[in-house]
Amino acid sequence: MTGRHEPDLHEQQRGPKEDEGEEEEEEEEEGEKVRVSVQGEEREQEEDEAELPYPSLAPVVLLALTQTSPPRSWCLRAVCHPYPRVSILAILLNCVTLGMFQPCDHTPSLLQALDDGIFVFFAGEMLVKMVALGVVGQSGYLGDTWNRLDFFIVIVGMLEYSLDGHNVSLSAIRTVRVLRPLRAINRVPSMRILVTLLLDTLPMLGNVLALCFFVFFIFGIVGVQLWAGLLRNRCFLGEDVKIGYYRPDGSDEHPFICSTERENGMLRCSDVPRRRIGRTPCLLGVEDAHSEMGLSVDEPGACVNWFQYYNECRAGEVNPHKGAINFDNIGYAWIAIFQVITLEGWVDIMYYVMDAHSFYNFIYFIFLIIVSIHTRTQALGDI
């Protein structure tokens, strides 16, 4: 009896703690086996990637093409070991053909053949890159911004050729040809770096653009409040005669802008120059032509100074330069201010305002130019 119960007593003496220790040891052994298997798989994957000719590129593209399959291997060799001189030569030749293109005349056959050949080269280059890199994905063809630009240019070119011969205007589509020289940025690494840096600095100009908008807004409001409608002032004939307003030399390129009686402008209708026939100034009035010479005012010998009768200054219908220069509203005021800060023809605008309103308006334009120069200097400093 005692011999049968001895094993049971021995098992009871081992206790639950020893059983838990054995279970923990078994779990640790299983965990170590799993870790070893995972590490082995990772090493196998790393060895497989190391065996690939181009580890940084996708192993399989277009669902079936590996890096060692003949079509893709040829394309990878052409893409990863390119001949940039050929591509740059094609781009330069394309610039020449675009410069020689004459939209109003018939395109020469040689020029058209060169343009077609260049487009075929660009399309073939795109297809080779798609086969080598794949279409989508981080390392794919469309994963790069400059490649997307090339893709857009080629697709628009295909659309142009597909619509050729139909009754469709291709002027807007052909405008995209201007983007073809930008392909050189993707071929020259140093140029690509410079353009990328330039694009990265554009967000830094946000404060400068806000300052420019503030300057435009303030000066525009001042201009509208002071000179709205004044650049329409012209010298008209009296109320009894309706023959339009005074035009120097029959042109509106340099209008005679007068000042009304309530303004202190530099030009009055009394300052209208005498009429001339050739180099001879006309000194006669209508009554003098009848009494002294006995001539009709319509005869060639009657040199009547008709301009002396343009003595009524009031608002007309047209602003200077076919209505482009005025301060009638904030939009046109911004256009005039932009022309002033470009220093192109700003003196004429200043003279128009001084003639119609006051001599001291030059302070506005001088101050505007100083502020604009300071703003441009600040922008260059931020870059």
Side-chain angles (χ1 to χ4, degrees):
M1 296 293 291
T2 58
R4 294 178 182 176
H5 293 286
E6 287 178 358
D8 297 335
L9 294 172
H10 183 66
E11 290 177 0
Q12 292 177 0
Q13 292 176 356
R14 291 174 61 185
K17 294 182 179 180
E18 294 181 1
D19 294 339
E20 292 176 357
E22 291 178 357
E23 291 177 358
E24 291 177 358
E25 291 178 357
E26 292 177 356
E27 291 177 357
E28 291 177 357
E29 291 178 357
E30 292 178 356
E32 290 179 356
K33 291 180 181 179
V34 171
R35 291 174 186 171
V36 170
S37 61
V38 171
Q39 292 177 356
E41 292 177 357
E42 292 178 353
R43 289 176 182 175
E44 290 179 358
Q45 291 179 357
E46 291 177 356
E47 291 176 357
D48 294 339
E49 291 179 356
E51 292 176 357
L52 293 175
Y54 306 95
S56 61
L57 301 179
V60 180
V61 299
L62 301 179
L63 303 177
L65 297 178
T66 62
Q67 293 188 4
T68 56
S69 59
R72 191 185 177 197
S73 62
W74 299 337
C75 295
L76 283 171
R77 196 176 305 165
V79 171
C80 297
H81 302 283
Y83 298 94
R85 294 182 180 179
V86 178
S87 182
I88 293 297
L89 180 62
I91 294 172
L92 293 178
L93 187 60
N94 185 218
C95 293
V96 173
T97 57
L98 290 176
M100 297 176 62
F101 179 73
Q102 298 178 358
C104 298
D105 299 332
H106 178 71
T107 304
S109 57
L110 178 60
L111 191 63
Q112 185 64 40
L114 286 175
D115 189 73
D116 296 341
I118 292 169
F119 174 76
V120 171
F121 175 82
F122 289 158
E125 185 183 24
M126 182 189 71
L127 293 177
V128 168
K129 287 186 176 182
M130 284 185 173
V131 174
L133 307 176
V135 180
V136 295
Q138 185 175 2
S139 60
Y141 178 78
L142 296 179
D144 185 76
T145 304
W146 298 107
N147 287 339
R148 289 197 290 269
L149 176 62
D150 295 347
F151 176 78
F152 174 73
I153 294 172
V154 173
I155 293 300
V156 172
M158 291 181 179
L159 181 63
E160 178 184 347
Y161 281 103
S162 63
L163 295 178
D164 192 14
H166 297 77
N167 190 15
V168 179
S169 178
L170 302 177
S171 58
I173 299 176
R174 287 173 178 170
T175 307
V176 183
R177 293 182 178 183
V178 181
L179 300 177
R180 290 184 181 179
L182 295 178
R183 298 171 64 97
I185 299 174
N186 199 21
R187 306 304 184 274
V188 182
S190 59
M191 186 183 299
R192 185 174 181 176
I193 293 172
L194 291 176
V195 173
T196 303
L197 291 176
L198 180 62
L199 295 177
D200 291 339
T201 57
L202 290 180
M204 301 171 61
L205 299 177
N207 295 330
V208 179
L209 294 177
L211 178 60
C212 290
F213 176 77
F214 179 76
V215 170
F216 271 53
F217 191 76
I218 295 300
F219 279 89
I221 290 176
V222 173
V224 172
Q225 294 297 322
L226 291 177
W227 310 312
L230 291 184
L231 299 188
R232 298 174 181 266
N233 289 352
R234 299 293 186 275
C235 291
F236 290 82
L237 292 171
E239 296 182 355
D240 53 338
V241 182
K242 306 285 186 181
I243 313 182
Y245 62 91
Y246 168 68
R247 298 178 178 86
D249 300 328
S251 173
D252 287 333
E253 292 294 329
H254 301 283
F256 188 94
I257 300 177
C258 60
S259 175
T260 59
E261 295 297 332
R262 62 180 181 179
E263 305 293 347
N264 296 319
M266 298 179 62
L267 286 183
R268 303 283 180 175
C269 289
S270 59
D271 299 322
V272 172
R274 296 179 182 273
R275 179 190 174 206
R276 288 177 175 271
I277 298 179
R279 296 184 179 181
T280 304
C282 296
L283 304 176
L284 297 178
V286 177
E287 296 81 4
D288 298 335
H290 283 293
S291 61
E292 296 184 7
M293 301 182 64
L295 297 174
S296 174
V297 294
D298 296 330
E299 294 183 11
C303 185
V304 178
N305 182 21
W306 286 104
F307 296 165
Q308 63 181 325
Y309 299 106
Y310 290 90
N311 51 18
E312 182 181 350
C313 182
R314 52 188 169 86
E317 298 179 356
V318 182
N319 282 298
H321 299 282
K322 298 181 180 180
I325 302 300
N326 63 81
F327 291 87
D328 293 350
N329 55 59
I330 193 68
Y332 279 108
W334 284 348
I335 295 175
I337 290 171
F338 181 78
Q339 183 173 345
V340 170
I341 66 175
T342 59
L343 303 180
E344 183 68 27
W346 70 276
V347 177
D348 293 336
I349 301 176
M350 182 179 68
Y351 286 160
Y352 294 155
V353 174
M354 291 170 62
D355 293 341
H357 188 259
S358 174
F359 168 79
Y360 296 102
N361 289 330
F362 73 90
I363 300 174
Y364 172 93
F365 294 92
I366 299 299
F367 188 63
L368 174 60
I369 292 174
I370 293 174
V371 172
S372 64
I373 293 175
H374 176 72
T375 305
R376 276 180 271 182
T377 305
Q378 184 67 28
L380 293 176
D382 291 343
I383 294 176

